[in-house]
Amino acid sequence: MLNKLKKISLSNWILIGMILGILVGFILNFWVTDPFIKNIILMDNVFYFGGTGFIRLMKMLVVPLVFCSIIVGVSSISDIRKIGSIGGTTVLLYLLTTALAVSIALLIAGIIKPGVGLHMASLIEQSNVTVNQTMTDTLLNMIPENPINSLASGDMLPVIIFGVLIGIILAKLKNETQTFNKLFSEGNTIMMEMTSIVMKFAPIGVFCLMARTFAGLGVDGLLPLSKYILCVLIGLAIQGFIVYPTLLVIFTRLNPLKFFRKFTSVMFFAFSSSTSNATIPLNLEKLSELGVSRDVSSFTIPLGATINMDGTAIMQGCAVMFAAQAYGIDLTTSALLTVVFTAVMASIGTAGVPSVGLITLTMVFNSIGLPVDAIGIIMGIDHILDMFRTAVNVTGDAICTIIVSFRSKSIDLDVFNGEKEIEKTEIEYFD
Ligand code: ASP
């Protein structure tokens, strides 16, 4: 029996943790009435500790792992033009997939019409989400004024830029900077090992996160918004299971089923945690198992966690249509194009953390003069959608990374196709 349990892979354990968590959550929600056991012991202590503790462990890994692995990855690509071309193609793909995602959402919400016939006044809750950042500010914030500050506060874009610059310089000065080369390379090895250790707790963390969410989930708020929820879920399903596999086939001719077989645990983790940022370490690990070189993924995945949020863009497209329909506002073609543009821009420069999409949604609403109060209506049910869209966000990052690494010949196709196991070797960068 114990031997059989030992044979279950970590990915399957994560799935088991998730399903058990959902079940336990539902049981607590509908059948356990004792508030002491349900709320005080389980939800506020046991599950809270297990879930939040695990997310904190994952977050602990992000900055040092991303920083070291970007430096090591970039410094190992000695041709600076290759870095430029990988960076350029990645950013372009990220922007295109996001634009496609919003367009799909606008189309679906145009057909299903989730906002028609809603009584706005009875639904509006006070919304206090606002964001005043302009596009120029977003671009400026990418330049680290004080890199130590950016590292300390986990600001991904400045950390990426600083890491890329150090990587390029290390590649250039190779012989003069042996100590630093070795320091970052060994730092990277340490962080990869720490990731493997932390990941062993993933099934328990995921179980606690799911149990807590589903034990506290109210169904009352869901009903009047069921059409809106349906629109978002259909949009996410199209993006995740039609658009991405199609892109993978068109650009690489690789088999999407092979991708999903290994990648689902990352989606489950993103679903449970609602944060692309905390999913970075697991995403990197799974892409390595799919044969993608860390030289590429160490740069594209953290970048994607920040600037590529296709799932979030789908929610935003649906939310715009929902609010416009509910208020009886007709959106012109130019307003729709503005939505596509602003939703793409809104996804740049915000970290992949829970519910951030709701905050940047104010930017999108403001761009076409929709009343931001409408955001208050969907706020109550956003957590559940956040889970689904985060799973799509991380899948988008991985698919674009595979396409980019295929084009730059940085993927081992035998490993992807399951014909060869990935070797757990240390990467030597300066032999
Ligand atoms: N939670 C999402 C993420 O981390 C962002 C959002 O849509 O709120 O990717």
Side-chain angles (χ1 to χ4, degrees), residues 270 273-279 304-305 308-309 311-313 315-316 350-360 382 385-387 389-394 397:
S273 66
S274 303
T275 143
S276 317
N277 263 28
T279 314
N308 186 41
M309 295 188 186
T312 307
M315 175 279 282
Q316 296 184 333
T350 38
V353 294
S355 290
V356 72
L358 214 55
I359 298 171
T360 52
D382 191 63
L385 293 180
D386 195 7
M387 296 160 77
R389 66 177 184 253
T390 310
V392 170
N393 287 348
V394 299
D397 302 342

Side-chain angles (χ1 to χ4, degrees), residues 110-172:
I111 298 171
I112 298 184
K113 303 201 181 345
V116 173
L118 274 186
H119 302 291
M120 296 301 283
S122 64
L123 289 167
I124 288 186
E125 287 172 31
Q126 205 48 46
S127 149
N128 54 4
V129 283
T130 46
V131 57
N132 294 319
Q133 190 160 304
T134 64
M135 198 51 221
T136 318
D137 286 333
T138 308
L139 289 174
L140 278 175
N141 287 343
M142 291 183 189
I143 307 170
E145 231 173 6
N146 176 346
I148 308 294
N149 244 346
S150 310
L151 284 164
S153 52
D155 261 348
M156 266 319 141
L157 289 182
V159 167
I160 292 172
I161 294 206
F162 191 57
V164 169
L165 286 177
I166 296 189
I168 293 174
I169 293 167
L170 288 189
K172 196 171 158 224

Side-chain angles (χ1 to χ4, degrees), residues 2-3 60 77-78 115-116 195 225 230 237 274 327 363 404 421:
L2 208 64
N3 268 348
M60 166 186 88
I77 309 174
S78 39
V116 173
T195 307
L225 298 173
L230 187 73
S274 303
Y327 281 111
M363 251 168 93
V404 171
E421 278 284 304

Side-chain angles (χ1 to χ4, degrees), residues 39 108 153 180 227 230 238 248-249 272 274 313 324 339 366 373 399 408:
N39 297 336
I108 294 169
S153 52
F180 267 87
K227 272 188 171 177
L230 187 73
I238 293 179
L248 194 66
V249 172
S272 320
S274 303
V339 170
N366 283 335
D373 276 357
I399 290 284
S408 61

